Amino acid sequence: MSKLASLIMTLMAFFPGAAFASPDIIRQQLPQAVPHYWKWGTLFVNLQVHLFKVLFLVALIAVLVVEFLHFVIVGPKKFRESGRKIKVYNAFMRLVHWTAALSFTLLVPTGLIIVFSKFFGGDGFVRTMRSLHFLGAILFAIAVVPLFLMWVLDMLPEEGDIKWILVGGGYLTKKEVETGAGKFNPGQKAWFWIATGFGSLLLLTGFLMYLRKPNFIIPFVKYQIDALRLAAIIHNFAAMVVLVMFLVHLYMSLFAVKGSLKSMITGYKDEEEIRYMHSSFYEKVKDRFGK
Amino acid sequence: MYKYSRMKFYCDENRCIDCHGCEVACQVGNDLPVDIARRKVITVNEGIEGKEYSVSISCMHCTDAPCAQVCPVQCFYIREDGIVLHNKDICIGCGYCLYACPFGAPQFPKDGAFGTRGVMDKCTMCAGGPAPTFSDKEKRLYGQNRIAEGKVPLCAAMCSTNALIVGDAEHVAEIIRERRTAHGHGVLDETPYGWDIAYPNE
């Protein structure tokens, strides 16, 4: 019976209106939770006061500076167009990718605005950004499962990945080098695993914070308020990693490799680009060109 | 540490009879929505004979209030008499003050699109807020400003057993000392519930 009750409570938590009728577990647990404040409560306060903002700023500036230096020193990769193309992304993949892309474009800037909300003055503007952050989360929740399933097999490590790492992905020189990568290079793979893995973590912790009074049992955590504190800590750290990788991905697709944006729009990649940037994938598909 | 008086709440667990009168007084007197309770009576060691007692808790108006420290918009301000207040016009309702608070004091009425958190609401020790004193805006957003009227906060004013007292720290401590001595418990041997967390350095 108690199992059934907790199941109903869990289901109720998914409907915002239910939190109103259900008991406030955070307050009920207060007599036990107050003496344990020194654990997660103090940790959260210290991290939020001393670390989060600084780390976000350092990460943001560092990535932008590295990207700028790369653009100036090495410059963008540009491949001779052979005119022979093959389809690498079908319509479904592109739809899912752009849904996820839209969600990240909403989530990352609004998230940064929330972190630096003092700079933006708070008030209605930041409150609207919080709503948009929530909207982006819904979009990402829709996109993350198909995104994971459609590419997970291509994203597993391969032999060619080692060569790609050794030659620095071919991004450190203007010359055209064969990188040895398969359909996706290790950089893309890292971004895939971070976007889906850390993304799901962000989704989960963000949902917990959205609920504000989680009325269901959370594993490993004794008090609900500690679950919220932990969620906020994890959310911040995971967001930093995703922020860095998102900006790198953005730079790569928009500036560093010419034509990559076009390939995600049309679905076709040129032979020349695949030959160098995805050379072991090229071995498999080279018969398909020119038909 | 403080040149002037320093306001503190104290709830005497030997006197609190778990009547929830302070909760009702606060809620009705400040026109709060139903799902908001700035003050809450909790029972510790419930069901254990001899050890069970109730205390009324709310915002404890901590020194170095952690909520004020973590607020990403810095909407908190601490008055000279130690009362911790916040500006609802700036607050973005992120919920960080709730995670930082040892006492679960910050509350968030649902508001706006998607049923997300509205701006934070908490005990003001009946001292209003940053809006002009006695203005309609102050009353609507923060509740009564009884401190400015020279009155005791609603909860302590109505407490029938005088369990909940509020005032200058020195006077509050004096009352506790007198009560303990009168009951033969000796001088205060342990700090009242939550005080070691709310006022660590005093």
Side-chain angles (χ1 to χ4, degrees):
Chain A
M1 194 59 212
S2 66
K3 266 188 184 169
L4 184 72
S6 71
L7 180 73
I8 292 168
M9 289 287 252
T10 312
L11 288 174
M12 274 170 71
F14 284 88
F15 303 98
F20 169 65
S22 52
D24 189 342
I25 294 191
I26 289 178
R27 285 241 162 136
Q28 282 174 9
Q29 291 176 335
L30 265 181
Q32 291 83 40
V34 173
H36 292 279
Y37 175 72
W38 305 116
K39 207 175 170 191
W40 298 114
T42 315
L43 180 69
F44 170 74
V45 171
N46 284 335
L47 288 174
Q48 168 67 15
V49 172
H50 300 295
L51 201 66
F52 287 153
K53 261 191 196 177
V54 181
L55 275 188
F56 269 113
L57 201 62
V58 168
L60 188 66
I61 292 172
V63 173
L64 292 179
V65 165
V66 168
E67 284 172 358
F68 179 75
L69 288 178
H70 179 266
F71 193 79
V72 170
I73 297 168
V74 183
K77 284 253 160 205
K78 207 170 176 186
F79 295 96
R80 182 169 58 82
E81 288 217 15
S82 67
R84 291 186 299 276
K85 290 167 184 288
I86 58 162
K87 199 168 192 178
V88 279
Y89 308 120
N90 63 33
F92 176 73
M93 285 177 181
R94 279 175 281 149
L95 178 72
V96 172
H97 172 269
W98 286 112
T99 313
L102 180 63
S103 78
F104 273 102
T105 336
L106 278 173
L107 285 165
V108 173
T110 53
L112 282 173
I113 288 169
I114 295 166
V115 171
F116 299 108
S117 49
K118 174 140 175 59
F119 178 78
F120 294 96
D123 206 351
F125 172 67
V126 183
R127 268 176 243 150
T128 312
M129 291 302 127
R130 272 191 60 226
S131 298
L132 285 178
H133 199 71
F134 182 70
L135 196 72
I138 294 173
L139 269 179
F140 181 70
I142 294 168
V144 68
V145 176
L147 182 77
F148 180 78
L149 292 177
M150 74 188 185
W151 277 338
V152 63
L153 290 178
D154 293 327
M155 295 295 184
L156 296 171
E158 287 167 281
E159 210 186 325
D161 292 349
I162 300 162
K163 192 187 169 194
W164 185 91
I165 294 165
L166 291 177
V167 298
Y171 295 117
L172 302 177
T173 166
K174 268 197 153 70
K175 280 185 291 188
E176 289 169 349
V177 284
E178 288 191 4
T179 58
K183 186 173 179 183
F184 293 105
N185 66 42
Q188 290 172 304
K189 285 176 185 174
W191 170 229
F192 171 81
W193 290 108
I194 285 168
T196 54
F198 280 59
S200 309
L201 203 62
L202 285 163
L203 208 56
L204 206 74
T205 51
F207 181 64
L208 216 56
M209 290 193 282
Y210 161 74
L211 284 179
R212 134 201 85 146
K213 291 180 200 168
N215 286 331
F216 47 87
I217 296 141
I218 298 158
F220 314 119
V221 183
K222 214 168 168 187
Y223 308 110
Q224 304 300 87
I225 184 72
D226 281 343
L228 290 174
R229 286 164 182 157
L230 217 56
I233 294 170
I234 295 171
H235 201 86
N236 272 284
F237 279 122
M240 281 169 213
V241 180
V242 169
L243 167 72
V244 169
M245 290 304 282
F246 174 72
L247 289 178
V248 170
H249 183 65
L250 212 60
Y251 170 69
M252 287 290 174
S253 54
L254 293 182
F255 303 110
V257 184
K258 296 277 177 201
S260 59
L261 181 65
K262 216 170 127 194
S263 73
M264 195 39 100
I265 294 170
T266 61
Y268 287 91
K269 257 193 194 315
D270 197 89
E271 185 182 1
E272 285 297 300
E273 192 195 330
I274 296 175
R275 178 183 296 175
Y276 296 107
M277 300 308 278
H278 304 275
S279 52
S280 67
F281 177 62
Y282 181 70
E283 297 300 317
K284 284 182 213 159
V285 296
K286 60 181 171 189
D287 309 335
R288 280 160 58 191
F289 288 103
K291 276 176 193 169
Chain B
M1 191 175 177
Y2 285 88
K3 208 174 170 187
Y4 306 102
S5 58
R6 206 258 179 256
M7 300 289 275
K8 276 183 186 181
F9 273 124
Y10 166 64
C11 183
D12 192 339
E13 68 264 27
N14 294 317
R15 283 175 175 241
C16 179
I17 55 168
D18 198 15
C19 74
H20 293 249
C22 45
E23 261 180 67
V24 177
C26 175
Q27 192 147 23
V28 175
N30 289 320
D31 282 337
L32 300 178
V34 240
D35 55 339
I36 297 298
R38 289 181 180 177
R39 182 166 275 292
K40 195 88 187 163
V41 178
I42 56 168
T43 304
V44 185
N45 298 327
E46 196 165 2
I48 304 171
E49 218 172 304
K51 284 186 173 177
E52 181 182 302
Y53 62 91
S54 297
V55 277
S56 169
I57 57 172
S58 71
C59 172
M60 295 283 274
H61 301 273
C62 306
T63 46
D64 303 327
C67 51
Q69 293 176 41
V70 299
C71 180
V73 276
Q74 302 281 299
C75 72
F76 287 87
Y77 63 100
I78 300 172
R79 288 171 32 143
E80 254 179 78
D81 54 8
I83 299 178
V84 180
L85 296 176
H86 73 295
N87 188 341
K88 285 192 178 182
D89 286 338
I90 307 174
C91 172
I92 57 167
C94 67
Y96 276 19
C97 46
L98 172 64
Y99 313 150
C101 179
F103 307 101
Q107 303 264 295
F108 298 90
K110 270 189 287 292
D111 184 31
F114 316 116
T116 47
R117 277 183 294 253
V119 295
M120 191 267 276
D121 185 277
K122 76 168 187 70
C123 161
T124 62
M125 214 182 254
C126 287
T133 307
F134 301 137
S135 64
D136 283 347
K137 190 185 173 188
E138 185 190 49
K139 182 104 185 9
R140 180 166 44 82
L141 290 180
Y142 309 98
Q144 297 189 19
N145 193 342
R146 289 171 62 92
I147 297 284
E149 290 171 348
K151 293 175 185 165
V152 174
L154 279 162
C155 50
M158 68 65 57
C159 185
S160 55
T161 59
N162 281 346
L164 188 64
I165 46 180
V166 59
D168 174 29
E170 268 180 40
H171 292 159
V172 171
E174 201 175 305
I175 292 168
I176 304 168
R177 216 176 297 123
E178 274 171 20
R179 283 184 187 177
R180 297 277 170 143
T181 323
H183 280 280
H185 294 318
V187 277
L188 193 58
D189 50 351
E190 57 181 51
T191 46
Y193 192 83
W195 268 30
D196 53 335
I197 288 177
Y199 319 109
N201 304 321
E202 291 176 32

